[in-house]
Amino acid sequence: MGRMSKNDKGFSLVELIIVIAIISVIITAAVLSISLIFGANARTCANDVKSALAGNKIAAMGKNAAFLEIYRDAGNENIYCRQFQQNTDGTWRGGEPEKIGNARVYIAYCPDGGTETELGAGDSIYMAYDRSSGSFRDSGVMQKDDGTSVTIQFYSYIHVTGGRKDLMVKMTKLTGKVSIEAVP
């Protein structure tokens, strides 16, 4: 009688299904980890914006006027904030820029009653508090330490997105309150 030879050189269907399942679990874990990392960037950026505004309010309520600049560098790599304070002689001095976000973070601003605009490469926004009341100033002209005049404006929110995190840094004009809310 002829013998049938058994071919043991391939994978069985069960082995193939197990390998595919293991690969899918690894890919899913990697995608979720990357999503969490990028989401952490957005959360950190939103917290840094809120913290910078709080620091600016404290400075503005002190002896001298102050304002805050939030900007994206010309290379579109990072997002920074910088506080300016008025000296007793009327001149202005700027603090050191503080990095609050990177290129993977989308940041946009919305003037009171306006439309949302992305903070692009080389763009800046300027905000200030009213010294007498602690509310946000809605207009005004300030001077940077290099002598450049800048226009202060009130922004109802700053939108920060990264990974799966979509956050709004909301500002209340009258009270100067700043809060962070997740966008549904």
Side-chain angles (χ1 to χ4, degrees):
M1 287 222 165
R3 270 183 135 184
M4 295 182 75
S5 67
K6 187 174 180 185
N7 184 358
D8 284 340
K9 294 182 182 177
F11 291 105
S12 72
L13 183 58
V14 171
E15 291 171 326
L16 186 62
I17 289 172
I18 290 172
V19 168
I20 290 172
I22 291 171
I23 289 172
S24 355
V25 166
I26 291 170
I27 289 173
T28 302
V31 167
L32 287 175
S33 296
I34 290 171
S35 220
L36 287 173
I37 289 169
F38 291 151
N41 288 339
R43 171 58 78 183
T44 300
C45 183
N47 284 333
D48 288 347
V49 167
K50 181 180 178 185
S51 177
L53 286 165
N56 188 254
K57 184 175 186 176
I58 291 168
M61 300 299 284
K63 288 184 176 180
N64 303 319
F67 68 94
L68 184 70
E69 174 185 29
I70 296 177
Y71 65 97
R72 188 179 287 275
D73 64 8
N76 205 22
E77 292 297 317
N78 296 308
I79 302 162
Y80 297 92
C81 70
R82 186 172 178 206
Q83 182 169 282
F84 292 85
Q85 288 187 345
Q86 191 174 32
N87 296 318
T88 52
D89 64 0
T91 61
W92 290 86
R93 77 177 180 288
E96 288 296 314
E98 179 185 336
K99 181 180 168 187
I100 59 171
N102 57 30
R104 290 181 239 135
V105 175
Y106 166 87
I107 189 166
Y109 54 92
C110 183
D112 196 23
T115 57
E116 185 174 297
T117 305
E118 181 177 3
L119 188 66
D123 290 345
S124 295
I125 59 173
Y126 302 94
M127 295 173 280
Y129 285 91
D130 183 273
R131 184 172 174 209
S132 61
S133 66
S135 63
F136 279 102
R137 291 182 64 174
D138 58 357
S139 64
V141 176
M142 302 281 195
Q143 241 181 0
K144 292 171 74 171
D145 50 359
D146 63 3
T148 308
S149 293
V150 296
T151 303
I152 301 299
Q153 189 169 359
F154 171 69
Y155 300 95
S156 53
Y157 66 84
I158 295 176
H159 188 180
V160 180
T161 304
R164 291 187 154 172
K165 291 282 184 194
D166 197 4
L167 304 165
M168 294 279 191
V169 180
K170 292 196 171 187
M171 290 161 265
T172 307
K173 185 177 182 180
L174 191 59
T175 62
K177 182 181 175 193
V178 180
S179 62
I180 298 175
E181 297 176 12
V183 175

